Amino acid sequence: MKLSLVVSIEETSFAAVAAQGTWRQALARAAELGYDGVELAVRDPTSADAAAALEEAVRAGLAVPALGTGQAYLADGLSLTAPDPDVRRRAVERLRAHLHLAARCGALVIVGLVRGRLTGGREATDRRLREALDRLLPDAGRLGVRVAIEPINRYETDYLVTVEEVLEVVDRVGSPQVGVLADTFHMNIEEASLEDALRRCGERLFHVHVADSNRRAPGWGHLDFGRLVDVLEEIGYRGFLSAEILPLPDPDQAAAQAVRFLRALRATAPS
Ligand code: LER
Ligand code: MN
């Protein structure tokens, strides 16, 4: 079981980031705590800090399994499905830059909040998302970078809330480059059964965010991570579990709890 910690390379309004301080401090701490990797939340992949963080991760012996893109939406208002074609064009350009950065470290690129919200009905929103993905996928294919679409709970978006909805998009696109990011916090709100939803993903499951029911570190809520890890093994998931957790009671304790608790579940299992 490979574990990563979400690290933002700039200050963010997104709360579930247990790594605080500068990204340099966060990377050093993740390595010290025994994480195998860091998932980097990157607003602008062309920034000097993005390249430097990547290099520093490699130097620290940390993998970078995924790049988060939510800040392109939260801070810059970019959305793949915005009604304004210019916003969509800039969102695609931004994600193209994420693909290029991801190619340098074997990461996948996350489509979370940057997919936007329902505007002008489901069909129109689906069509815009499809167009955006169609523009990105040739680059993704050429670069060998996968794209993972994340179902996000109803209180944060009204578009692609459940695993099933994302699987429909994934199947419609029909590219081996596109799959699902399953986030246990969102799933706990939206899914009738987390285990069944993971099973339905099968090999279309590309990445996993772990947080407990209250978005605190695993073990500090009421999710049964033992069962979830069993199901991940059953479906042959070989990717990372990435801790996307609130910095509570403080950043350090949260990050330490996640790695300690998850390692204890599979103390002897090969990664
Ligand atoms: C991002 O991975 C996520 O889970 C969302 O809650 C972002 O707001
Ligand atoms: Mn998430």
Side-chain angles (χ1 to χ4, degrees), residues 14 39 110 150-152 181-186 209 215 244:
F14 180 51
E39 174 183 318
I110 296 171
E150 180 177 26
I152 292 180
L181 188 181
D183 181 320
T184 57
F185 170 71
H186 300 307
H209 280 164
R215 221 171 203 182
E244 186 180 58

Side-chain angles (χ1 to χ4, degrees), residues 218-232:
W220 285 347
H222 57 73
L223 288 185
D224 186 343
F225 281 96
R227 276 175 58 192
L228 295 179
V229 168
D230 283 348
V231 174
L232 291 173

Side-chain angles (χ1 to χ4, degrees), residues 22 27 111 123 127 189 208 216:
T22 67
L27 260 50
V111 172
E123 221 175 285
R127 197 174 50 245
I189 296 170
V208 175
R216 293 181 66 163

Side-chain angles (χ1 to χ4, degrees), residues 53 66 214 267 270:
N214 45 13

